[in-house]
Amino acid sequence: MRYSGFKVFTEGLFGNSGWKPAWRDPAPKAEYDILIIGGGGHGLATAYYLAKNHGLRNIAVLEKGYLGGGNVGRNTTIVRANYFLPGNSEFYSHSLKLWEKLEGELNYNVMHSQRGQLILAHSDGQRDALARRGNAIVNQGDDAELWSLDQVRDFAPYLDFEQTRFPIYGGLMQRRAGTARHDAVAWGYARGADRLGVDLIQNCEVTGIDIENGRVTGVQTTRGAIKARKVGMVVAGRSSQVAAMAGMRLPIESHVLQAFVTEGLKPVIDSVISFGMGHFYISQSDKGGLVFGGDLDFYASYAARGNLPMLEHVMEAAMTLMPMIGRAKILRGWGGIMDMTPDGSPIIDKAPVEGLFVDAGWNYGGFKATPASGWCMAHLMATGEPHEVARRFRLDRFRTGHVLDEEGTGSQHNLH
Ligand SMILES: Cc1cc2nc3c(=O)[nH]c(=O)nc-3n(C[C@H](O)[C@H](O)[C@H](O)COP(=O)(O)OP(=O)(O)OC[C@H]3O[C@@H](n4cnc5c(N)ncnc54)[C@H](O)[C@@H]3O)c2cc1C
């Protein structure tokens, strides 16, 4: 079924009785050519592009819970392409271009909204660093504007311009950045993959990876053994645990990241605003809630839930930046498990086991990467060669030293 305004109109006339499930619910077959472990955004996008770009058909996605129940449905939905380092910048640039055509490509409204992102500078040094970043972004072919204090004041008058602890000096605006509805992205890719024949198998946890003579032969799951010649591990916060099933020890620590949403308010914040002096970023959802997130919990954990110390930490940053937020009521908070690498950049690479592939290490930033991650992982799995925009996301860079430390904070997972 193709979605359209006309279809919505005619369904409205006939009691909305003609809608069909957006994807099938097949039982797992005994064997596939390719298995993708993980039905998050990246796993679904990988399956979609394997079928769409490479014409492959005998593919299944194995998801231990329900599609989109992981981080893809828990993030603060920010999409941008304002990375600094070669290796990252061309990849996120490619991703943003895919975002710009995604709704047409998938025939699905993912509510991609290019409302802009403004990163604030709170010192001369920070403003210089943003100018340098802006130049790198423009050289990459994306957009960036260095804004003065007056421009920021005109654009976001609700920020606190009087406070002296973290005075605002200006900011870096990327107008093509913005937000998208996170779970719709998972649903759109799921529907697209299903239409191309991919089996999406929910409630199917992978419990073991079968390897014979150094090559993968399939997986063990809670719904039985499934054979395959190629297996992709695309499980975000669970990457270390799943890789351990293949005898691998990944350079990843898993940490909880929380986000919050307020009650619905009238339109007040019409872009994404990122605080330069703390980990705090905010936007307003189409329902009116202020959506914001903060820093990681500073200890490793697999507990995908919130806690009060980090709530306090995030609220401090919020009140520092925009005291008006103190009048809003928090509706809820939640947590997701982040797969943090020592340099803050991801991995899309072959594993040391023949036929096994890794897509992991997305840190805080994997939502915006969803289209390009799927695109590049599919390219790698189909051709055996890294895609040119993901060629630096190698697993062995932590051994060779060719790291991509965007933040310049050194090899401490929770600081990126
Ligand atoms: C609070 C928060 C805010 C964030 N904000 C942003 C943001 O604004 N912008 C941005 O770009 N990024 C953001 N992120 C990061 C982003 O959400 C993640 O990097 C990205 O979603 C990870 O990729 P994914 O969608 O494939 O992960 P997931 O959705 O977590 O998918 C992995 C899937 O694997 C499944 N799985 C795990 N183990 C197994 C197994 N053994 N067998 C079968 N299935 C398994 C899981 O159930 C899960 O569904 C944020 C994350 C959080 C938590």
Side-chain angles (χ1 to χ4, degrees), residues 37-43 62-65 70-72 74-78 204-206 234-236 238 242 245 257-259 281 334-336 338 362-368:
I37 310 174
H42 294 222
L62 308 179
E63 166 54 46
K64 73 172 177 175
N71 293 319
V72 69
R74 293 165 185 260
N75 57 67
T76 44
T77 79
I78 302 168
C204 183
E205 179 170 358
V206 171
V234 196
V235 290
R238 299 281 172 181
V242 173
M245 296 175 194
L257 179 67
Q258 297 182 53
Y281 36 91
W334 61 90
M338 306 288 80
W362 293 99
N363 298 270
Y364 302 99
F367 180 61
K368 71 178 86 63

Side-chain angles (χ1 to χ4, degrees), residues 83-94 140 345-346 348 362 372 376 387-394 397 402-406:
Y83 283 67
F84 177 68
L85 292 180
N88 279 330
S89 59
E90 64 267 35
F91 174 82
Y92 289 100
S93 177
H94 180 61
Q140 171 58 45
S345 295
I348 302 180
W362 293 99
C376 295
H387 190 278
E388 59 174 342
V389 299
R391 68 190 187 289
R392 299 206 198 187
F393 296 161
R394 293 170 63 114
R397 70 178 186 271
H402 295 91
V403 293
L404 289 167
D405 184 355
E406 189 79 25

Side-chain angles (χ1 to χ4, degrees), residues 123-134:
S123 66
D124 281 331
Q126 209 171 34
R127 192 174 46 197
D128 290 351
L130 286 184
R132 190 161 171 247
R133 175 178 292 262

Side-chain angles (χ1 to χ4, degrees), residues 197-218:
V198 174
D199 281 359
L200 306 174
I201 300 168
Q202 305 183 65
N203 298 311
C204 183
E205 179 170 358
V206 171
T207 53
I209 297 180
D210 297 333
I211 299 166
E212 281 171 29
N213 301 323
R215 74 155 301 129
V216 76
T217 56

